[in-house]
Amino acid sequence: MVLRHDLLAPAPAEGCALLLGEEHGLADSAADDWCVQLIWPCRNMVGRQEKDRFELDPREQIAAQRWARSRSLKVLGSAHSHPGASVVPSRRDRLWAGSSGLMLIMGNNHALAAWWLEVEAPHCALADVHPLPIRVMGETPLTSLPGDPGIRHD
């Protein structure tokens, strides 16, 4: 699976990626049937000095948003790994969630779990967490281009 490969690549540090797809229904609902169509791997700005934390590169976030918008897609959320922990969002994950959104986490056993993190304004508390089901509908042999690690092409 492309996502597992991308999240394992920076081990023992956390791997991270953005999840792109079509916007549909209520974009602020844990009840939506989300359909991730593209994995956009990102560089973990924290690097290897802290193995239990990730920070997406803002330049890659902007590039992903522009790329997605040009194809009528949207950044639906993020994915990251917990190399030394479970698939449950950590306190830090819940505290640093800037807005409500989809979050996929790969735990130390390589299992994946999906969550809806609900952030209430003003952002001063831990995000509420709601588990979501995962169904893998099909996989494509997508690869990142050498020298362009943040871009997936269809």
Side-chain angles (χ1 to χ4, degrees), residues 26-154:
L26 299 172
D28 61 353
S29 170
D32 273 353
D33 186 18
W34 295 96
C35 182
V36 174
Q37 296 169 290
L38 197 77
I39 308 299
W40 186 286
C42 293
R43 185 169 74 96
N44 184 346
M45 297 292 291
V46 174
R48 297 182 188 267
Q49 66 263 30
E50 291 188 55
K51 295 180 177 90
D52 64 346
R53 197 180 128 195
F54 80 99
E55 183 178 335
L56 296 168
D57 185 333
R59 294 170 297 184
E60 290 180 342
Q61 290 180 51
I62 292 168
Q65 289 169 343
R66 286 182 179 158
W67 188 91
R69 201 172 21 245
S70 73
R71 287 157 177 81
S72 300
L73 298 174
K74 179 180 173 150
V75 175
L76 302 175
S78 65
H80 68 282
S81 61
H82 282 175
S86 75
V87 296
V88 177
S90 67
R91 178 175 169 74
R92 185 176 286 160
D93 292 336
R94 295 175 64 203
L95 186 61
W96 286 11
S99 61
S100 297
L102 179 64
M103 181 178 280
L104 290 177
I105 299 175
M106 183 177 73
N108 57 358
N109 61 356
H110 298 186
L112 286 171
W115 306 91
W116 177 259
L117 272 64
E118 189 171 345
V119 177
E120 294 186 29
H123 178 66
C124 57
L126 294 176
D128 289 333
V129 178
H130 308 280
L132 297 173
I134 294 179
R135 283 180 296 140
V136 177
M137 302 297 288
E139 296 187 47
T140 59
L142 298 173
T143 57
S144 296
L145 295 177
D148 201 5
I151 299 178
R152 295 282 180 170
H153 295 271
D154 48 3

